[in-house]
């Protein structure tokens, strides 16, 4: 939730949100089984659910379970929320996010690309048609760590992100 607000606020500091381009291999229906999971509908529902948990109202435990490297990224989400409240977003507004997710395009059976938008009450659409990634880990679809890091990075929290931190 706060990551979204931090992203919006971060745009004031930087227009460079990083490279979010994905390569999606076009495929014919005959080849779909090679690139996509067996149950496309179920995978799509699980991916959308993970996005709604991560960027909507949910407990830290639920968020951590829905993000790749989740327990490592929870402090980053907390920091983003702190930044958002300093810029006048209220707890109620941040808790009322509406997250919409398009049907995923599958890179392979365990990686997908989606477009998602996040609307914050009384602030409108804060993130519109953003590219995001999903990864299947231990049989569960999660928001890719890269998506969370890319979203909050412009707000100055990049050092806390495992995917952005220097080795």
């Amino acid at each position: 939730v706060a990551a979204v607000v931090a992203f919006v606020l971060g745009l004031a500091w930087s227009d460079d949100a990083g490279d979010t381009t994905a390569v999606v291999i076009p495929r014919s229906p005959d080849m779909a089984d090679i690139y996509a999971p067996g149950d496309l509908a179920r995978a799509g529902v699980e991916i959308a659910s993970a996005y709604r948990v991560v960027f909507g109202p949910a407990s830290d435990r639920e968020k951590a379970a829905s993000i790749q490297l989740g327990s490592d990224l929870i402090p980053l989400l907390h920091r983003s929320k702190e930044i958002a409240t300093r810029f006048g977003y209220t707890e109620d507004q941040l808790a009322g996010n509406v997250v919409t997710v398009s049907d995923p395009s599958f890179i392979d059976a365990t990686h997908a690309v989606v477009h998602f938008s996040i609307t914050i009450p009384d602030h409108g659409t804060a993130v519109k048609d953003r590219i995001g990634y999903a990864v299947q880990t231990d049989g569960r679809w999660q928001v890719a760590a890269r998506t969370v890091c890319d979203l909050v990075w412009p707000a100055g929290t990049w050092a806390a992100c495992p995917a952005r931190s220097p080795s």
Side-chain angles (χ1 to χ4, degrees):
V1 173
V4 172
V5 176
F7 168 75
V8 171
L9 299 173
L11 287 178
W13 293 301
S14 169
D15 287 324
D16 179 17
D19 179 18
T20 57
T21 304
V23 175
V24 179
I25 302 168
R27 61 187 187 273
S28 72
D30 297 337
M31 299 294 288
D33 290 341
I34 293 172
Y35 297 110
D39 188 342
L40 292 173
R42 182 173 153 224
V45 168
E46 288 178 10
I47 291 168
S49 177
Y51 269 79
R52 288 183 186 107
V53 167
V54 171
F55 299 116
S59 70
D60 283 354
R61 188 176 65 94
E62 292 170 308
K63 288 180 185 289
S66 295
I67 306 170
Q68 178 188 34
L69 304 175
S71 58
D72 293 336
L73 295 179
I74 293 301
L76 180 64
L77 294 178
H78 286 271
R79 175 78 176 117
S80 296
K81 186 175 182 180
E82 290 169 12
I83 293 169
T85 56
R86 280 191 286 167
F87 281 90
Y89 289 84
T90 67
E91 291 282 332
D92 288 340
Q93 289 168 334
L94 296 175
N97 283 351
V98 176
V99 181
T100 56
V101 180
S102 72
D103 292 329
S105 295
F106 292 92
I107 298 168
D108 60 31
T110 60
H111 296 86
V113 178
V114 301
H115 286 258
F116 68 103
S117 297
I118 303 170
T119 302
I120 301 173
D122 300 325
H123 288 274
T125 303
V127 175
K128 184 175 181 167
D129 200 29
R130 176 86 176 195
I131 292 174
Y133 302 92
V135 61
Q136 188 181 54
T137 307
D138 297 326
R140 178 186 175 107
W141 283 98
Q142 298 174 309
V143 175
R146 174 184 177 181
T147 298
V148 175
C149 292
D150 284 350
L151 199 59
V152 299
W153 180 55
T157 55
W158 66 271
C161 192
R164 290 277 187 214
S165 296
S167 301

